[in-house]
Amino acid sequence: MNHKAVRGWLMYDWANSAFATTILAAIMPIYYVSVAGIHLSEETAAYYWGFTQTIATLSVALLSPIMGAIADYTGSKMKFLSFFAVLGALASAAMAFTGEGDWLLTSILVIVGTIGFSTGNTFYDGLLVDIAPPEKRDAISMRGFAYGYLGGGLLLTLNIAMIEGWKMFGFPDKTIATQTAFFTVGLWWLLFAIPVMRHVKDKAVQRSASGLGDTFKNGFVRIKHTIKTLKRYPELLKYMISYWFYNDGINTVIVMATVYGKGIGIGTLHLIIALLITQFIAYPSTLLFIRLASGFGVKKSLYGSLSLYVLIVILGYFMTNAAHFYALAVMVGLVQGGSQAISRSIYANLVPPSRTAEFFGFLSLSSKFSSAAGPFIFSITGTLTGSIRLAILSLIGFFVIGMIMLIFVNLEKGRVQALAEENA
């Protein structure tokens, strides 16, 4: 195992998580409504932000599996990762040049940045098989998420300090401070992506020479082939169904947490502080999951984290103040990184090693479409009942169904199936 390659791979999670925290979660949504969309009504600006996220998600869903298949076919996972990393970082830095009324330009840059972030992660996840043997993947996957929570949390802390203490940092106003925060995301992303670009190399593959058109055609053909051949990997297919459900629950908790908090009267500052709490609790907790998975097994550890999510949703129903929200932020931090890391390493062990980018791209496509179900159920429940508390409670079903489906997955049998097909 190449330890420099592993460290470089880990640092990429540190690098691009700044985009997830500062751009997607904490600062850009507020900036979009209050600055970029200042000439729009607050409701219209919020709707436009929602459309921006929808377009970005669909773009990633369509691009990831095709790009993944092409990357596998040409042996170019690192080249694709490097391209999308630079694309996302430049888009983030360019957000510093948006101002009042620039909602359309801001939307375009957020879409491009999200494509760089999420599509790049398809290749990043697929590289886990290349840099680590099966017995090391669980631990390295968890360390990657831990690095991401710490890196994203540190830059977000600095960005919030810059914005709230703009006078102390020498900025003429809070808007300039916020724009500078966007620039730091691009710089941070590029700087800490250097190790993975230097130390992780693509594995050579033997393919016949073909032009760009043929390469894209092969990408579409391989996606069609992926869907047709899923029946050869029954354990993988069962796991994917389980993953679609419980991951949808996790993602809905993440994306709807601030909406729910605001809906029950918790202030914006408390919501941001809670996000920081989750980031910094998730770092040591994800590392702790390495020991838990080693001692109890990955499947039992995943069950434990999903069970805690069920408890989080139930307690969220009874939450009434900021202190309760902080407590739930701590609980989310305890399991968020570990559950995501274990899910990634399980999936990596169930797919054919030579087709990892293709299969991770397919997972990205399928999970992006399935992830629309959680927010929809949340919203429709709240609309029909008039209770946002019942809306959060409705998410329990996603975790319960996912856990039930997980019972029927034989991980060792799935690993054998993947390797047998590879050898054949």
Side-chain angles (χ1 to χ4, degrees):
M1 187 170 67
N2 186 329
H3 293 287
K4 285 187 177 180
V6 171
R7 286 194 293 269
W9 187 86
L10 293 172
M11 288 308 300
Y12 186 73
D13 220 325
W14 173 290
N16 77 343
S17 291
F19 181 86
T21 53
T22 295
I23 304 298
L24 295 181
I27 296 176
M28 175 53 83
I30 299 172
Y31 178 86
Y32 189 91
V33 173
S34 60
V35 178
I38 193 171
H39 301 313
L40 305 172
S41 69
E42 187 171 320
E43 292 80 8
T44 301
Y47 295 151
Y48 283 5
W49 175 253
F51 290 141
T52 299
Q53 296 304 308
T54 300
I55 293 171
T57 299
L58 291 176
S59 298
V60 171
L62 295 173
L63 276 175
S64 292
I66 302 302
M67 294 296 101
I70 294 172
D72 278 334
Y73 186 80
T74 59
S76 306
K77 279 181 277 192
M78 264 312 306
K79 292 178 182 177
F80 277 89
L81 173 60
S82 299
F83 171 79
F84 283 103
V86 172
L87 178 69
L90 292 179
S92 301
M95 294 175 198
F97 301 99
T98 63
E100 292 187 356
D102 292 335
W103 62 267
L104 180 58
L105 175 60
T106 304
S107 289
I108 292 171
L109 291 174
V110 170
I111 291 168
V112 173
T114 303
I115 290 172
F117 173 75
S118 297
T119 308
N121 276 343
T122 298
F123 310 107
Y124 171 72
D125 290 341
L127 284 166
L128 177 61
V129 175
D130 295 342
I131 66 166
E135 67 274 11
K136 298 287 187 181
R137 287 173 194 160
D138 295 331
I140 291 173
S141 179
M142 286 182 227
R143 286 174 61 194
F145 272 102
Y147 274 47
Y149 283 116
L150 183 59
L154 286 174
L155 187 62
L156 179 59
T157 301
L158 174 61
N159 290 156
I160 292 173
M162 289 166 51
I163 295 168
E164 296 301 320
W166 57 271
K167 289 183 180 179
M168 183 178 67
F169 280 85
F171 293 110
D173 55 48
K174 183 176 284 191
T175 298
I176 299 296
T178 305
Q179 292 166 338
T180 304
F182 299 147
F183 188 83
T184 66
V185 170
L187 184 62
W188 181 280
W189 194 345
L190 280 178
L191 178 64
F192 291 109
I194 292 174
V196 74
M197 295 179 186
R198 288 187 59 188
H199 299 302
V200 179
K201 305 300 180 183
D202 284 313
K203 289 187 175 182
V205 295
Q206 297 296 323
R207 304 292 184 199
S208 59
S210 58
L212 181 62
D214 288 336
T215 301
F216 272 93
K217 180 181 177 181
N218 285 328
F220 283 99
V221 169
R222 292 195 78 197
I223 288 301
K224 184 178 179 180
H225 182 256
T226 302
I227 298 172
K228 285 186 175 181
T229 58
L230 273 176
K231 61 184 178 182
R232 300 179 188 174
Y233 313 101
E235 302 306 316
L236 171 63
L237 182 57
K238 287 187 287 186
Y239 175 70
M240 288 179 67
I241 296 172
S242 169
Y243 177 84
W244 289 334
F245 278 99
Y246 76 71
N247 186 64
D248 196 3
I250 293 173
N251 285 335
T252 306
V253 169
I254 293 171
V255 301
M256 301 307 294
T258 54
V259 173
Y260 181 70
K262 286 183 177 180
I264 62 172
I266 297 175
T268 301
L269 182 59
H270 291 302
L271 297 175
I272 293 176
I273 292 173
L275 176 61
L276 285 174
I277 289 173
T278 298
Q279 291 293 125
F280 288 114
I281 292 293
Y283 171 68
S285 298
T286 305
L287 294 177
L288 177 62
F289 255 81
I290 298 174
R291 296 188 178 184
L292 290 176
S294 177
F296 295 98
V298 292
K299 198 171 180 179
K300 288 183 180 178
S301 300
L302 183 55
Y303 272 125
S305 66
L306 297 179
S307 298
L308 190 55
Y309 266 113
V310 172
L311 180 60
I312 289 168
V313 171
I314 293 173
L315 294 178
Y317 174 83
F318 296 101
M319 182 174 64
T320 58
N321 55 49
H324 293 161
F325 199 77
Y326 291 158
L328 291 184
V330 171
M331 294 176 67
V332 171
L334 288 174
V335 294
Q336 185 168 291
S339 58
Q340 291 173 320
I342 289 175
S343 299
R344 177 169 63 187
S345 62
I346 289 175
Y347 188 76
N349 286 329
L350 294 178
V351 301
S354 66
R355 299 169 64 190
T356 53
E358 174 188 344
F359 270 88
F360 271 103
F362 182 76
L363 183 67
S364 177
L365 168 69
S366 58
S367 60
K368 284 291 186 298
F369 283 114
S370 68
S371 65
F376 175 77
I377 293 297
F378 180 98
S379 300
I380 199 69
T381 301
T383 301
L384 293 177
T385 65
S387 171
I388 197 169
R389 295 186 183 277
L390 289 177
I392 197 71
L393 200 62
S394 68
L395 301 182
I396 289 179
F398 290 96
F399 294 108
V400 172
I401 294 173
M403 292 168 69
I404 292 173
M405 289 300 303
L406 191 61
I407 294 173
F408 300 98
V409 181
N410 187 321
L411 298 183
E412 185 57 37
K413 185 178 179 181
R415 188 179 292 111
V416 171
Q417 288 171 352
L419 293 176
E421 185 71 20
E422 185 81 357
N423 294 332

